[in-house]
Amino acid sequence: MPIGAALVHDGEVLAVGRNRRFQMGSAIRHGETDCIENAGRQPARIYRESVLYTTLSPCFMCAGTAVLYDIPRIVVGENETFQASEEWLRSRGVQVDVVGDDECKALMAQMLRERPEMWAEDIGEEA
């Protein structure tokens, strides 16, 4: 899965993560949740002052994790492949900025061509 995330505080990368559901046999290790797990225990203020960067628009699980930790801004590489939570995030006061990055789009298009069954499983659908 070519989906990753980075948590940045005051211009410093605190943690990065990537979708590792298949590698770890995990039900929840999407890029964003892996990143936040990799950040470890941080004071609440750190999360409230950070930005989460992600390849793809977050699913509701990842969006909920960001809201739980009061991350105020999420920068999304692309949302053409998948979009579920952006309006919900905005309704919760999260600033969501969609970049529309061509490299992110190309990575997702390649993955969808080569491994559609993995993508279906990752978003909870049948292939």
Side-chain angles (χ1 to χ4, degrees):
M1 278 299 157
I3 303 168
L7 186 66
V8 177
H9 179 261
D10 282 340
E12 178 184 341
V13 176
L14 295 179
V16 296
R18 60 188 172 88
N19 186 305
R20 298 192 314 154
R21 288 187 65 243
F22 298 97
Q23 296 91 330
M24 296 180 74
S26 170
I28 63 168
R29 271 327 233 306
H30 283 181
E32 299 91 340
T33 55
D34 188 55
C35 176
I36 291 169
E37 175 67 17
N38 291 340
R41 295 175 62 194
Q42 298 290 331
R45 149 187 92 67
I46 297 295
Y47 289 109
R48 290 182 184 130
E49 298 170 353
S50 294
V51 178
L52 182 64
Y53 293 85
T54 182
T55 306
L56 188 66
S57 187
C59 71
F60 280 106
M61 174 180 67
C62 295
T65 303
V67 167
L68 176 69
Y69 287 96
D70 288 327
I71 297 171
R73 181 176 176 221
I74 299 175
V75 177
V76 175
E78 76 101 338
N79 68 353
E80 292 177 14
T81 303
F82 181 80
Q83 184 182 140
S85 67
E86 291 175 23
E87 288 309 312
W88 181 79
L89 283 162
R90 289 181 182 111
S91 78
R92 304 288 303 194
V94 178
Q95 178 182 337
V96 179
D97 298 319
V98 179
V99 176
D101 183 77
D102 289 336
E103 187 175 354
C104 291
K105 291 177 192 178
L107 283 169
M108 291 305 298
Q110 178 182 353
M111 191 271 308
L112 287 170
R113 279 191 312 275
E114 294 175 2
R115 300 181 189 252
E117 70 289 343
M118 288 178 72
W119 173 246
E121 180 183 335
D122 198 58
I123 61 171
E125 294 181 359
E126 298 292 325

